[in-house]
Amino acid sequence: MAQASDDLKARRKAKPEFRNINVFKDVRTYRLPLAGFVSILHRVSGLLMFVLLPVIIWLFAHSVTSQISFGQFQAALAWAPVAGLPIVKLVVLALFWAFTHHLFAGIRHIYIDVSHQLSKDMGRKTALAVLIPSIALTLVFAAKLFGLF
Amino acid sequence: MAVNYGSKRTVVGAGYGTSDWVGQLATGLVMALYTVAVLVRWCWPRVNEMGEKFTGYEQWASVFAPQWMKVFTFAIIVALAYHAWAGFRSIAMDYVKAAGLRLLLQIAAVVWLVGCAGWMMQVLWSI
């Protein structure tokens, strides 16, 4: 009996079972599938936009209110107080990625919900269909934001 | 089976999960369509009273200038607040186990979203 339970313990050790994932212990060893990355990034991007709502509204308000506020909006974008680092532009870039990822991942959700096509392969393919365009668009936006074209 | 009535009744959790799930999906879809509408309006060539083509600030601000666009945008803000509230609640329910702290966070989220919606309303009608 003791022998059998030792065997079981040894096997469990060799092949860990993840139940309640601990951020500090399991995240580094847990092999997340692509669909899992899309899922957690959907949350991260949503929370990021939630937290930065006042920043979004401030930028929107200054971009539309008047010619003068539009000038302040442009000045804010160019603002680089520390070591020439354009902080506002970087925040806008992060928000652009968050919005794009959240939008595409949301469309993926709707597609899965209405099509009822749930399989490992489909999960992986649709995850790629979210990650590739959202990252590509973010790169294009970054190039535009930093004046490459 | 666990007792789920009387003093043991479950009082935490989503409660009406299905309607919120459908609501989040529907608001998300409407916001996605709104995004496309704004982009099309922004890129669509328009002219001012002098017949000159809009550029820069004018091109952007004129997207939101008509009253119907402000009303439409305000509806989107309400949809966003509902969508974000449901999303924040999902996150709070998954990661914050202490009921008191979770309640506090959820109240704070409502205050945050309603406040932002009010600010956004003021911005819209000052264009």
Side-chain angles (χ1 to χ4, degrees), chain A residues 40 43 47 50-51 53-54 57-58 60-61 63-67 70 99 102-103 110 113, chain B residues 21 25 29 32 35 57 60-61 64 88 90-91 94-95 109 112-113 116 119-120 123 127:
Chain A
I40 191 66
R43 286 207 155 168
L47 190 65
F50 174 90
V51 171
L53 256 182
I57 300 176
W58 190 93
F60 177 74
S63 75
V64 292
T65 306
S66 67
Q67 288 277 11
F70 188 70
F99 184 84
H102 207 84
L103 175 65
I110 293 173
D113 286 342
Chain B
W21 165 67
L25 200 143
L29 192 62
T35 305
Y57 166 76
W60 173 241
F64 303 95
F88 183 83
S90 298
I91 291 177
D94 278 356
Y95 305 123
W112 183 255
L113 289 169
C116 283
W119 182 13
M120 194 55 201
V123 168
I127 299 171

Side-chain angles (χ1 to χ4, degrees), chain B:
Chain B
M1 205 191 134
V3 176
N4 195 23
Y5 51 83
S7 62
K8 302 282 188 199
R9 190 167 67 92
T10 305
V11 290
V12 292
Y16 307 101
T18 310
S19 67
D20 284 334
W21 165 67
V22 174
Q24 201 176 26
L25 200 143
T27 48
L29 192 62
V30 171
M31 285 190 286
L33 295 175
Y34 174 82
T35 305
V36 176
V38 166
L39 286 177
V40 168
R41 258 181 79 73
W42 186 27
C43 298
W44 204 268
R46 277 158 294 137
V47 290
N48 61 15
E49 299 86 43
M50 315 289 285
E52 297 156 338
K53 201 165 166 270
F54 279 149
T55 53
Y57 166 76
E58 271 188 327
Q59 192 186 357
W60 173 241
S62 65
V63 170
F64 303 95
Q67 176 70 4
W68 66 266
M69 190 62 183
K70 291 176 184 176
V71 173
F72 185 22
T73 306
F74 178 65
I76 294 299
I77 301 302
V78 176
L80 187 141
Y82 182 87
H83 187 94
W85 171 74
F88 183 83
R89 200 192 54 180
S90 298
I91 291 177
M93 286 194 302
D94 278 356
Y95 305 123
V96 184
K97 298 299 176 193
L101 179 63
R102 187 197 289 171
L103 180 64
L104 196 72
L105 282 174
Q106 286 174 347
I107 294 169
V110 171
V111 174
W112 183 255
L113 289 169
V114 172
C116 283
W119 182 13
M120 194 55 201
M121 202 168 146
Q122 184 215 355
V123 168
L124 274 177
W125 269 279
S126 60
I127 299 171

Side-chain angles (χ1 to χ4, degrees), chain A residues 21-28:
Chain A
I21 298 171
N22 184 302
V23 178
F24 303 105
K25 284 191 304 200
D26 304 324
V27 163
R28 272 174 298 133

